[in-house]
Amino acid sequence: MRQKVAVLGSTGSIGRQTLEVISALSDRFEVVSLAAGRNVDLLSSQIEAFRPRLVAVADEEVAARLKSKVDDAVRVVWGRDGLVEAAIAGDPDVVVVAVVGSSGLQPTLAALAENKTVALANKETLVAGGELVSQVLAGGRGRLLPIDSEHSAIWQCLQGEASDRVAKVILTASGGPFRTASKDEMERARPADALQHPTWSMGGKITVDSATMMNKGLEVIEAHWLFGIGYDQIQVIVHPQSIIHSMVEFQDGSLKAQLGAPDMRVPIQYALCYPDRPPVAWKRLSLLDLATLTFEPPDLERFPCLALAYRAGREGGTAPAALNAANEVAVEAFLTERIGFGDIARCVESVLEAHTVTSAENLDSIVEADAWARQEAWEWIRRR
Ligand SMILES: NC(=O)c1ccc[n+]([C@@H]2O[C@H](COP(=O)([O-])OP(=O)(O)OC[C@H]3O[C@@H](n4cnc5c(N)ncnc54)[C@H](OP(=O)(O)O)[C@@H]3O)[C@@H](O)[C@H]2O)c1
C-alpha cells in the first residue's frame, strides 16, 4: 500500500522538490493534502497532477480564486486553521512541513499530537517552539525527521551510534554570497546581491538568512532540539563548496561526514524513505570532479546574526522565538528595501535586548513572544 503524504508549502522550493521525489516514487507515495500561500496557478497544476483531497491556502480570497479553477472533489480550506487541517486530514503517514517562517509550528504540533511522522524542512518551527515540540514528541508516538541538509547529514552520521559517544556536531555553512565581502560592501548590499546564493537555489527568506548567516544560527538551535545536544557541542565551520553537508565528531576523535551534491531532493527522499535508500535519477557527486574542499572559521564580526542566535539559544525560553520573529520581519523589510542589509542584525539585536524571556513550554507564550517581537521589530524599522 502506498504511503499517504501531506505537503505543506507545496509551491515553494522544498515543496516543489518534494513533489518531484514523490513523482519519481509514485509506487510508494500518494499525496492526500497540499498547503500553500498564494500561488494559485502553480497550486492548481499541482492539484491536477497529484489529486489531493484537501488543499489549504493563505486566506479566504485566495481560496475563492482557487475554487474557481479546480473541481468540487477538492476541499479548499484557508488560514491557520486550514494549514493545521491540511496536516492531519486524510490521515497522512508523513507530513512534510515546508512552509516558511514560524507558521510551521502549529501544523507540526498538530501532526505530532496525532502521532504522525513529520518530515521537517521548516527550521523556524524548532527555533520558536523546540521545547514544546520536544515535550509533545516525548509524550506520544509521533516522529520528527529532518529534511534540512545539515541535520539530515548529522542524522545519517548518527545511525548506529549511542548519544554518549558524540563529542560534538559540526554544521557546515557555505558562507553565502558575502563570505569574502568587506563590512562596507555588506552594508551597501541590495536584495539582488543577497539573493545570489553561490551553491543552493532556495526561497527568498532562507537565501537572505544564508547571506547574514542567521540561517546557520537557526540551524544551531534546530540541531540543539533535534539531537538533544548542548550549544557548546555545536560548532559551525564555513565550507564554501557545500559538499560536506555536516559532520559528527565522536569521543574517540573520529569524524563522520555525509557528502553529496548540493541537491535537496536527496535529504527529502531520505526523510520520506528512511531507512531505505532507493536509487535516484538525478546527478550524483563525483569525487574526481572536485578540485578541493576547504574550511574556515565563521567571522562573527561580519556575521553578528550567528552570534545572536547562539545567545538566544543559550538564553532559552522565549528568546529564540523572539529572535526568529524579529528576523522574519527584518528580512521582509530588507527585501522590500525599507532597511539596509546591516540593519537586519541591528534590528534583531535590539529586539532581543528588549525582550523579557519567559518559559516557552506552552503555545500561548510562544505565540505571544512571536507577536511582541514582530511589533517591536516593526517599531525599530519605523524609527530608522
Ligand atoms: N529551500 C531550501 O533549499 C531549504 C533548505 C533547508 C531548509 N529550508 C527551510 O524550508 C522552509 C521552506 O523554504 P523554501 O526555500 O522552500 O521557501 P519558499 O520557496 O519561500 O516556499 C515557502 C512556501 O510556504 C508557502 N506559504 C507561505 N505562506 C503561507 C501560508 N500562510 N500558509 C501556507 N503556506 C504558506 C508558500 O506558498 P506561496 O508561494 O504559494 O505563497 C510556499 O509554498 C523554510 O523554513 C526554510 O528555512 C529550505
Side-chain angles (χ1 to χ4, degrees):
M1 215 167 69
R2 294 191 299 172
Q3 287 205 61
K4 293 182 278 181
V5 188
V7 183
L8 313 187
S10 65
T11 52
S13 164
I14 293 289
R16 292 192 308 267
Q17 294 179 83
T18 301
L19 292 176
E20 273 185 57
V21 170
I22 290 175
S23 288
L25 296 170
S26 56
D27 55 330
R28 294 171 73 130
F29 299 107
E30 63 173 312
V31 173
V32 287
S33 55
L34 294 175
R38 308 188 164 273
N39 188 344
V40 168
D41 288 343
L42 179 55
L43 192 51
S44 41
S45 59
Q46 291 178 344
I47 292 169
E48 202 168 309
F50 293 94
R51 301 263 148 222
R53 284 163 241 166
L54 181 132
V55 176
V57 291
D59 58 36
E60 196 171 358
E61 179 269 323
V62 182
R65 277 198 284 135
L66 183 66
K67 274 185 196 166
S68 70
K69 286 181 162 244
V70 296
D71 70 50
D72 291 343
V74 186
R75 199 152 79 79
V76 180
V77 294
W78 64 86
R80 191 170 292 176
D81 292 346
L83 190 56
V84 167
E85 205 175 343
I88 51 182
D91 197 22
D93 300 294
V94 186
V95 182
V96 177
V97 180
V99 293
V100 62
S102 58
S103 59
L105 176 60
Q106 290 181 37
T108 299
L109 288 170
L112 293 176
E114 301 254 330
N115 297 318
K116 307 286 177 215
T117 294
V118 173
L120 186 70
N122 172 281
K123 56 196 84 188
E124 296 91 342
T125 285
L126 283 177
V127 174
E131 196 170 341
L132 187 54
V133 169
S134 303
Q135 276 172 23
V136 176
L137 276 169
R141 285 176 288 109
R143 294 192 307 163
L144 189 63
L145 311 179
I147 281 181
D148 217 349
S149 58
E150 293 78 1
H151 304 79
S152 177
I154 294 165
W155 181 35
Q156 294 179 54
C157 293
L158 289 173
Q159 295 299 310
E161 304 284 1
S163 58
D164 62 0
R165 294 180 197 149
V166 175
K168 65 179 174 190
V169 302
I170 302 169
L171 290 170
T172 52
S174 71
F178 304 137
R179 182 176 63 87
T180 57
S182 70
K183 218 166 174 217
D184 282 352
E185 286 167 334
M186 289 167 74
E187 286 289 344
R188 289 195 304 274
R190 308 286 299 272
D193 307 317
L195 289 170
Q196 295 289 327
H197 197 278
T199 48
W200 294 97
S201 162
M202 310 179 285
K205 195 256 175 185
I206 183 176
T207 307
V208 175
D209 284 346
S210 297
T212 60
M213 287 193 78
M214 178 61 92
N215 182 50
K216 212 47 54 180
L218 301 179
E219 288 176 6
V220 166
I221 301 172
E222 188 184 9
H224 168 77
W225 291 113
L226 273 172
F227 305 112
I229 192 155
Y231 288 101
D232 292 343
Q233 291 170 281
I234 305 173
Q235 184 184 5
V236 171
I237 285 186
V238 176
H239 165 49
Q241 298 81 18
S242 301
I243 294 298
I244 296 182
H245 297 309
S246 278
M247 296 173 252
V248 177
E249 185 183 314
F250 293 90
Q251 299 291 0
D252 63 357
S254 269
L255 276 172
K256 274 195 199 173
Q258 188 261 341
L259 287 72
D263 184 336
M264 286 306 295
R265 291 172 297 187
V266 178
I268 291 168
Q269 177 172 301
Y270 188 69
L272 287 177
C273 297
Y274 174 78
D276 282 357
R277 291 183 182 272
V280 295
W282 38 85
K283 197 169 179 284
R284 286 154 186 275
L285 176 66
S286 162
L287 286 176
L288 294 177
D289 291 344
L290 294 176
T292 42
L293 299 182
T294 59
F295 305 94
E296 55 197 71
D299 178 346
L300 295 182
E301 214 222 314
R302 282 186 307 126
F303 297 100
C305 283
L306 180 56
L308 289 172
Y310 266 104
R311 178 176 138 192
R314 286 191 168 105
E315 274 180 41
T318 51
L323 167 105
N324 177 65
N327 181 58
E328 285 189 32
V329 168
V331 170
E332 188 188 330
F334 168 68
L335 283 173
T336 48
E337 306 210 61
R338 274 175 272 192
I339 59 172
F341 185 76
D343 289 329
I344 298 174
R346 286 188 281 274
C347 175
V348 173
E349 183 172 18
S350 163
V351 173
L352 260 192
E353 294 280 344
H355 183 57
T356 306
V357 178
T358 60
S359 153
E361 283 173 8
N362 64 68
L363 187 57
D364 287 349
S365 60
I366 298 167
V367 170
E368 200 178 303
D370 180 288
W372 174 87
R374 278 171 205 273
Q375 196 185 340
E376 191 74 13
W378 281 121
E379 271 165 27
W380 188 92
I381 289 159
R382 268 192 288 276
R383 286 197 302 271
R384 286 294 296 158

